[in-house]
Amino acid sequence: AERGPGAAYHMFVLMEDLLDKLKLLSYEEEALRRHNMRPLSRCPGARKTPGRAAAASPGRLWRGCGRGAGWGCGRPCPHYFALPTNPGEQFFMFCMLAAWLITKVGRPFEQPQEYDDPNATISNVLSELRSFGRPVDFPPSKLKAGYGEQVCYVLDCLAEEALKYTGFTWKRPAYPTEELEEEEITEDDAELTLDKLAEGVVEEESDNEENFIDLNVLKAQTYRSDVNDTAKQEEILESTTDAAEWNLEVERVLPQLKVTIRTDNKDWRIHVDQMHQHKDGIESSLKETRGYLDKLHNEISRTLEKINSREKYINSQLEHLIQEYRSAQALLSEAKEKYQEGSGGVTERIRVLSEITELLERVKQETEEKGSSMTDGAPLVKIKQALTKLKQETIQMDIQIGVMEHTLLQSKLKEKSNMTRDMHATMIPEATVGAY
């Protein structure tokens, strides 16, 4: 199937999921510490020494660090199997983790060593993966590099099987409850109180005391004048003030007697007045713009009708081309299906070919070993030397047997002579017996 532009980054996503699954399986405690290994390192500047992987011990991964630390920093790396850093070390880490995951599922699997045949190890891992029902549609040689999407796919499948075997289940996240903060009650400045009104009046009076007369002062003066008037009621029975002078004084003081009260923008009455003003302005503007909007609507509707008629005309003219395009598209889909079927057969044959080549390499290696053992003359020389040694030992044994037979014959003859002597000694005459 065709792959999109994000397929190149799919292995990074697989590696992220694989790292989370390995942490859930406690790979650091069970797999790495058992083999004296450090966790997957995040050393972007580590020296790439592929040839040292076989000579180094299994636990010494990431020989150099870009920051000069000497060893890996030990933090988990989400790109360890996604990017090529040290193919030899990455391949050993892949084999070790794959073997550990297979044993985690409950199946016996021998832990791979440094000097094992990589082809045999890869074939064993893939056979176990196929036994779980996982499809393997890539050649085994892709796993020899120790990195790439195929390596991440194999480890991810094995990690999923291990999680299923252990009975792990994903749970819904538990979100912490957040306590609501108490809202501070703020005073509404828009509320009009008598104290604020008095403060505003005092402020306005202090601002305008240069141009206006203070009312409190006037009240105090009038109060004093009233007191004085009550005290001098007898004297004011008749006014002595000139009317012309009084009118002149009134005209002179009249501008100063003007009292103004500033409007507060927070008053609701002002807001209502503003709302009414805005409403009247909107209605007046709407009357003017409604005609323009109706005209624009009529023009747009006529344009849409023209577009629809032109579209129908174009569709009628291009109907045969559309049918040809549909037929060509159907042929293209059929060709794609055939191509997919052919590519699937090719991949399967490539897999079979790789397995046959692996078996052929094994047979060649066995025949070479047997041929070298058959043409080698060292065993024949050893056999001849052993025969000569056996002959010498046989001659020595014959001599020893002859000596032993001779000594045995001598002992028998000596024993026989002793017996005859004893027999003769026991036959003594009777005449000699009495003489004693």
Side-chain angles (χ1 to χ4, degrees):
E2 295 181 358
R3 307 184 69 181
Y9 303 96
H10 182 61
M11 55 184 171
F12 295 100
V13 180
L14 278 178
M15 187 61 207
E16 289 279 356
D17 296 340
L18 172 62
L19 192 59
D20 293 336
K21 292 170 185 176
L22 290 176
K23 286 182 180 179
L24 291 174
L25 293 170
S26 303
Y27 81 108
E28 295 180 356
E29 291 79 7
E30 297 184 10
L32 299 182
R33 288 184 182 177
R34 186 181 298 177
H35 297 281
N36 194 17
M37 284 183 164
R38 291 184 178 272
L40 305 181
S41 175
R42 189 194 289 273
C43 296
R47 293 195 298 268
K48 299 177 181 179
T49 55
R52 298 183 184 177
S57 61
R60 299 180 66 182
L61 297 178
W62 292 91
R63 178 60 183 170
C65 180
R67 294 187 294 274
W71 294 99
C73 59
R75 290 178 291 177
C77 177
H79 310 316
Y80 183 78
F81 289 114
L83 297 175
T85 53
N86 193 331
E89 296 171 357
Q90 287 174 315
F91 179 72
F92 185 79
M93 178 67 83
F94 162 71
C95 295
M96 187 273 296
L97 289 176
W100 174 70
L101 290 171
I102 292 170
T103 54
K104 193 76 175 176
V105 176
R107 298 191 179 185
F109 194 85
E110 187 178 356
Q111 185 66 33
Q113 302 298 326
E114 294 182 21
Y115 301 102
D116 291 345
D117 187 11
N119 296 320
T121 304
I122 290 171
S123 63
N124 293 332
V125 171
L126 292 179
S127 63
E128 292 290 339
L129 186 63
R130 291 190 189 95
S131 65
F132 294 130
R134 299 282 184 167
V136 180
D137 54 355
F138 56 86
S141 59
K142 293 285 187 180
L143 302 177
K144 287 185 180 179
Y147 67 90
E149 185 178 356
Q150 290 78 15
V151 174
C152 298
Y153 168 74
V154 172
L155 292 177
D156 185 66
C157 293
L158 293 176
E160 285 183 359
E161 295 296 332
L163 289 173
K164 290 179 183 178
Y165 184 79
T166 55
F168 177 79
T169 55
W170 296 98
K171 298 180 181 179
R172 292 185 176 181
Y175 299 102
T177 58
E178 297 181 356
E179 297 181 357
L180 298 175
E181 297 181 357
E182 296 181 357
E183 297 181 356
E184 296 181 357
I185 301 173
T186 58
E187 296 181 355
D188 190 4
D189 294 336
E191 184 179 0
L192 184 63
T193 59
L194 294 175
D195 296 334
K196 291 183 179 180
L197 183 59
E199 291 175 0
V201 171
V202 171
E203 290 177 358
E204 291 175 0
E205 289 174 355
S206 63
D207 294 337
N208 300 325
E209 65 179 354
E210 295 180 358
N211 300 323
F212 305 103
I213 297 174
D214 193 355
L215 296 177
N216 293 326
V217 175
L218 286 174
K219 288 179 182 179
Q221 289 178 357
T222 53
Y223 178 75
R224 289 171 189 162
S225 64
D226 291 338
V227 172
N228 293 329
D229 290 340
T230 55
K232 298 179 181 180
Q233 290 181 358
E234 296 177 355
E235 296 180 357
I236 63 168
L237 293 176
E238 186 178 356
S239 178
T240 58
T241 307
D242 190 4
E245 293 179 358
W246 178 262
N247 290 328
L248 291 173
E249 184 68 21
V250 170
E251 290 178 359
R252 185 180 66 83
V253 180
L254 185 60
Q256 298 180 0
L257 293 176
K258 185 180 180 181
V259 178
T260 59
I261 299 174
R262 292 184 179 179
T263 59
D264 190 5
N265 293 327
K266 297 179 181 179
D267 192 4
W268 63 271
R269 295 180 182 86
I270 297 171
H271 293 169
V272 171
D273 294 336
Q274 290 178 356
M275 289 169 64
H276 286 298
Q277 292 176 4
H278 292 314
K279 181 181 178 183
D280 295 336
I282 290 169
E283 289 178 353
S284 62
S285 301
L286 182 61
K287 290 178 181 178
E288 296 177 0
T289 56
R290 182 171 291 174
Y292 296 107
L293 291 174
D294 292 337
K295 188 184 293 183
L296 183 61
H297 178 264
N298 294 328
E299 290 179 357
I300 291 171
S301 60
R302 287 196 298 269
T303 307
L304 287 174
E305 289 177 358
K306 289 180 181 179
I307 291 170
N308 290 327
S309 62
R310 295 289 179 85
E311 185 177 357
K312 290 178 181 177
Y313 176 74
I314 291 169
N315 289 330
S316 63
Q317 293 293 327
L318 300 177
E319 187 175 0
H320 65 284
L321 296 175
I322 293 171
Q323 291 179 358
E324 291 179 0
Y325 173 74
R326 288 175 181 173
S327 61
Q329 194 172 8
L331 293 174
L332 178 61
S333 62
E334 291 178 0
K336 284 183 179 179
E337 291 178 357
K338 291 180 180 179
Y339 173 74
Q340 290 177 359
E341 292 176 358
S343 63
V346 169
T347 54
E348 182 66 22
R349 289 180 177 83
I350 290 171
R351 185 182 64 79
V352 174
L353 178 61
S354 61
E355 292 178 356
I356 293 170
T357 51
E358 290 177 1
L359 293 174
L360 182 61
E361 288 179 357
R362 291 182 187 176
V363 172
K364 283 183 179 180
Q365 187 176 1
E366 291 177 357
T367 52
E368 287 178 357
E369 291 177 357
K370 290 181 180 180
S372 61
S373 62
M374 291 174 66
T375 56
D376 193 5
L380 184 60
V381 174
K382 289 180 181 179
I383 291 170
K384 289 182 178 180
Q385 291 177 357
L387 288 173
T388 54
K389 189 174 181 181
L390 284 172
K391 288 179 181 179
Q392 292 177 0
E393 290 179 356
T394 304
I395 292 169
Q396 291 179 0
M397 290 296 291
D398 291 337
I399 294 170
Q400 290 179 1
I401 290 169
V403 171
M404 292 296 292
E405 288 179 352
H406 180 71
T407 54
L408 182 61
L409 182 61
Q410 291 291 332
S411 62
K412 285 182 178 181
L413 291 174
K414 187 175 181 179
E415 185 179 359
K416 188 177 181 180
S417 61
N418 291 330
M419 289 177 65
T420 53
R421 186 184 63 189
D422 293 338
M423 290 174 64
H424 289 297
T426 53
M427 296 176 65
I428 300 172
E430 297 179 354
T432 58
V433 173
Y436 293 104

